Amino acid sequence: ASAMREIFLEPPKVRWSDIGGQEYVKQKLREAVEWPLTHPDTFKRLGVTAPKGVLLYGPPGCSKTLTAKALATEAGLNFMAVKGPEIFNKYVGESERAIREVFRKARAASPSIIFFDEIDAIASSRGGSEGSSDRVLAALLNELDGIEALVNVTILAATNRPDVIDAALMRPGRLDRIIYVAPPDLDARKQILQIQISKMSVAGDISIEELADATDGCSGAEIAALCQRAGLKAMEDNIDAERVEKRHFDGAVRSLVKRITPEVLK
Ligand code: ATP
């Protein structure tokens, strides 16, 4: 049981309103996960099958985890987070057992979401040594196809590397909804800045517009980090600072290093 410590059943806390932009992703996730729960009769009547799982892909720090959590919160679902590398780095045979255990727990906690972050670590088509990764992937597929139906358990998976994911995982009846989670556009960056800055005490002359322009090409995570750095700079100036000044944001912008390069975009 101690080996399962990394599997969390988290109380919901992230709301849709905590996420700037990503309207398309939010809508598609609602359709895929909320609708089957709230309108099962319509699905039946129209002969539409609810998806078993959704694969979110896109550059790091662009709110894949955040949207998965918000979905759980807003739909009132239990949320289990599992990191691919943690499952994979277990002793021989333990990874498969861990996967079975995750699904067992999710069934017991249904309605629920299992969120597999960095799914590429367990679902890569470039098999590892001794076929160990084949066995782990087989265990995952086995659970997805399982004889025990996944009633009210939805699988969300996230990856920055959709190119290495084994196509078998995305066959119909498995993770057959695939959603690209893009870096924030200008409007989304304004919203993210608004969300961050609303939690800070800041000077009146801070321009969200200017900051949104300056963070073109940044991920949401980088924008959040930038605001943190500005706050820290204010404290370096004066440990009793009342608020963060424009010069602190400007300083943080100057030390900005953008990590989303064209290669990690679609
Ligand atoms: P990774 O691929 O690295 O796991 P991710 O796509 O899952 O990244 P998140 O963990 O969801 O990214 O985002 C990291 C942090 O960046 C969030 O906790 C939040 O502070 C901030 N962030 C990212 N995108 C947004 C957004 N659209 N709105 C508000 N905050 C955001």
Side-chain angles (χ1 to χ4, degrees), residues 14 16-22 26 56-69 83 115 117-118 158-160 181-184 188-189 191-193 195-196 199 219-225:
V14 182
W16 288 131
S17 56
D18 295 326
I19 304 173
Q22 307 295 6
K26 292 176 188 173
L56 303 169
Y57 75 97
C62 291
S63 72
K64 294 183 291 298
T65 306
L66 221 50
T67 43
K69 284 185 176 172
K83 283 196 194 307
F115 178 62
D117 202 2
E118 300 176 65
T159 184
N160 308 323
V181 185
R189 293 197 304 278
Q191 287 182 40
I192 296 169
L193 284 159
I195 291 165
Q196 297 298 332
K199 300 177 206 160
S219 67
E222 287 164 339
I223 295 172

Side-chain angles (χ1 to χ4, degrees), residues 177-234:
R177 297 282 169 93
I178 299 170
I179 304 177
Y180 176 56
V181 185
D185 60 14
L186 181 67
D187 217 49
R189 293 197 304 278
K190 283 185 199 164
Q191 287 182 40
I192 296 169
L193 284 159
Q194 196 68 60
I195 291 165
Q196 297 298 332
I197 286 175
S198 70
K199 300 177 206 160
M200 316 170 76
S201 176
V202 300
D205 59 348
I206 308 285
S207 163
I208 298 266
E209 312 277 323
E210 242 177 69
L211 288 170
D213 271 335
T215 49
D216 185 17
C218 288
S219 67
E222 287 164 339
I223 295 172
L226 174 117
C227 294
Q228 287 296 304
R229 272 202 310 280
L232 215 52
K233 281 179 193 295

Side-chain angles (χ1 to χ4, degrees), residues 128-151:
S129 58
E130 309 287 284
S132 63
S133 78
D134 289 351
R135 285 202 311 276
V136 180
L137 176 58
L140 177 61
L141 297 179
N142 202 43
E143 289 294 333
L144 286 171
D145 299 343
I147 10 175
E148 271 190 81
L150 286 170
V151 180

Side-chain angles (χ1 to χ4, degrees), residues 79-155:
F79 183 78
M80 289 179 62
V82 189
K83 283 196 194 307
E86 287 176 358
I87 291 269
F88 191 75
N89 293 333
K90 294 189 174 299
Y91 291 54
V92 177
E94 284 290 299
S95 309
E96 290 102 295
R97 210 154 59 117
I99 285 183
R100 286 196 298 273
E101 184 66 5
V102 168
F103 279 81
R104 192 190 64 71
K105 284 194 177 177
R107 282 195 187 89
S110 81
S112 58
I113 284 178
I114 308 175
F115 178 62
F116 283 99
D117 202 2
E118 300 176 65
I119 186 86
D120 40 280
I122 48 177
S124 161
S125 53
R126 297 183 194 154
S129 58
E130 309 287 284
S132 63
S133 78
D134 289 351
R135 285 202 311 276
V136 180
L137 176 58
L140 177 61
L141 297 179
N142 202 43
E143 289 294 333
L144 286 171
D145 299 343
I147 10 175
E148 271 190 81
L150 286 170
V151 180
N152 292 346
V153 175
T154 305
I155 319 304

